């Protein structure tokens, strides 16, 4: 039996990006299909959809109208499309619970720390669910500490990371690096530092592309 093909995957995303939640679930389904054929090293890289967002956040309807010119009807249609796509990959979007767009820099600092602790993927999933399924404020340090504890991370240490502004420079440097590589939309999934898959693609697209890359070695 041949050795599994190595796949280094950098998943560039934000925790308040619905298509990132869909894309991640699709990617996971594709990797399940590939099974032992690949040896995956998955890293979550920071991207802020709204880096200038004020600490108090902004009403989601006002934000989408201002940023994209969306009408209430367009927003309703988009939300329904997102809800359906999420349901198709096993992710629950509860649009009624989510009323604000928030600043996510602290969440990215916590994810950076979680990577060092070996719990980054679990925290990423939990933050996406906290925001989109439970409607929690993922800019709140109390919420972030609670979510970190829920995936087995040390709550006291998580609080120190947040309150002491740890990893701020690291996160900024990573954000700037991916922007310098031309990443302007998320999710952007970079495989083996060479191949790019963008958007919340269906699992079949991820599976086909990953198989092709794995076969190329």
């Amino acid at each position: 039996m041949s050795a599994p093909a190595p796949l280094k995957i950098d998943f560039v995303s934000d925790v308040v990006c619905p298509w990132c939640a869909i894309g991640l679930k699709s990617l996971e389904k594709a990797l399940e299909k590939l099974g032992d054929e690949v040896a995956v090293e998955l890293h979550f890289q920071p991207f802020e959809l709204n880096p200038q967002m004020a600490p108090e956040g902004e009403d989601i309807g006002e934000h989408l109208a201002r940023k994209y010119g969306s009408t209430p009807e367009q927003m309703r249609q988009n939300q329904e499309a997102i809800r359906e796509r999420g349901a198709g990959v096993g992710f629950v979007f509860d649009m009624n619970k989510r009323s604000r767009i928030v600043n996510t820099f602290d969440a990215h600092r916590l994810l950076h720390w979680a990577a060092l602790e070996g719990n980054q993927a679990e925290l990423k999933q939990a933050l996406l669910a906290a925001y989109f399924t439970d409607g929690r404020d993922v800019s709140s340090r109390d919420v972030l500490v609670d979510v970190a504890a829920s995936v087995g991370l040390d709550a006291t240490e998580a609080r120190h990371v947040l309150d002491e502004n740890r990893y701020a420079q690291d996160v900024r440097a990573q954000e700037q690096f991916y922007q310098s590589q031309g990443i302007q939309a998320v999710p952007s999934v970079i495989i083996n530092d060479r191949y790019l898959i963008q958007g919340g693609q269906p699992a079949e697209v991820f599976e086909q592309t990953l198989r092709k890359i794995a076969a190329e070695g």
Side-chain angles (χ1 to χ4, degrees), residues 168-178:
Q169 287 182 311
D170 302 85
V171 171
R172 288 277 181 244
Q174 284 175 300
E175 288 178 336
Q176 287 163 7
F177 170 76
Y178 286 103

Side-chain angles (χ1 to χ4, degrees), residues 144-163:
L144 290 172
V145 169
D146 190 52
V147 174
S150 78
V151 297
L153 287 158
D154 185 275
T156 303
E157 190 63 14
R159 176 71 68 180
H160 287 320
V161 167
L162 294 168
D163 290 349

Side-chain angles (χ1 to χ4, degrees), residues 5-7 30-31 34 37-38 191-192 194-197 203-217:
L7 289 180
L31 292 174
L34 288 163
E37 296 172 48
V38 293
I191 299 111
N192 292 347
R194 289 179 61 194
Y195 305 93
L196 175 65
I197 307 172
E204 299 76 32
V205 172
F206 278 112
E207 185 188 350
Q208 288 166 6
T209 307
L210 293 173
R211 275 192 195 285
K212 189 161 175 271
I213 293 167
E216 288 172 6

Side-chain angles (χ1 to χ4, degrees), residues 11 20-30 86 89-91 125 203:
F11 194 93
C20 296
I22 291 166
L24 179 56
K25 283 291 186 188
S26 295
L27 174 63
E28 287 175 344
K29 286 186 177 298
V89 290
F91 188 90
Q125 291 281 16

Side-chain angles (χ1 to χ4, degrees), residues 87-186:
V89 290
F91 188 90
V92 177
F93 287 97
D94 189 334
M95 300 301 186
N96 295 322
K97 287 184 178 173
R98 186 172 60 104
S99 62
R100 298 188 78 72
I101 292 280
V102 297
N103 188 291
T104 56
F105 188 65
D106 280 351
H108 287 300
R109 289 197 297 113
L110 204 63
L111 281 162
H112 185 95
W113 167 66
L116 303 175
E117 298 291 313
N119 269 44
Q120 194 188 37
E122 293 84 354
L123 182 60
K124 180 72 172 187
Q125 291 281 16
L127 286 171
L128 288 166
Y131 183 67
F132 287 112
T133 307
D134 303 328
R136 301 182 77 184
D137 177 2
V138 292
S139 68
S140 158
R141 292 186 175 180
D142 289 341
V143 169
L144 290 172
V145 169
D146 190 52
V147 174
S150 78
V151 297
L153 287 158
D154 185 275
T156 303
E157 190 63 14
R159 176 71 68 180
H160 287 320
V161 167
L162 294 168
D163 290 349
E164 294 166 16
N165 209 31
R166 290 189 208 165
Y167 309 117
Q169 287 182 311
D170 302 85
V171 171
R172 288 277 181 244
Q174 284 175 300
E175 288 178 336
Q176 287 163 7
F177 170 76
Y178 286 103
Q179 287 169 8
S180 75
Q181 299 298 299
I183 302 299
Q184 296 177 332
V186 287

Side-chain angles (χ1 to χ4, degrees), residues 36-67:
D36 295 336
E37 296 172 48
V38 293
V40 178
E41 190 185 307
L42 178 60
H43 306 273
F44 292 96
Q45 305 293 0
F47 185 98
E48 290 177 83
L49 288 175
N50 304 287
Q52 310 306 322
M53 181 60 67
E56 68 273 13
E58 188 178 3
D59 175 83
I60 199 162
E62 293 172 13
H63 174 80
L64 293 173
R66 182 177 57 76
K67 189 171 181 180

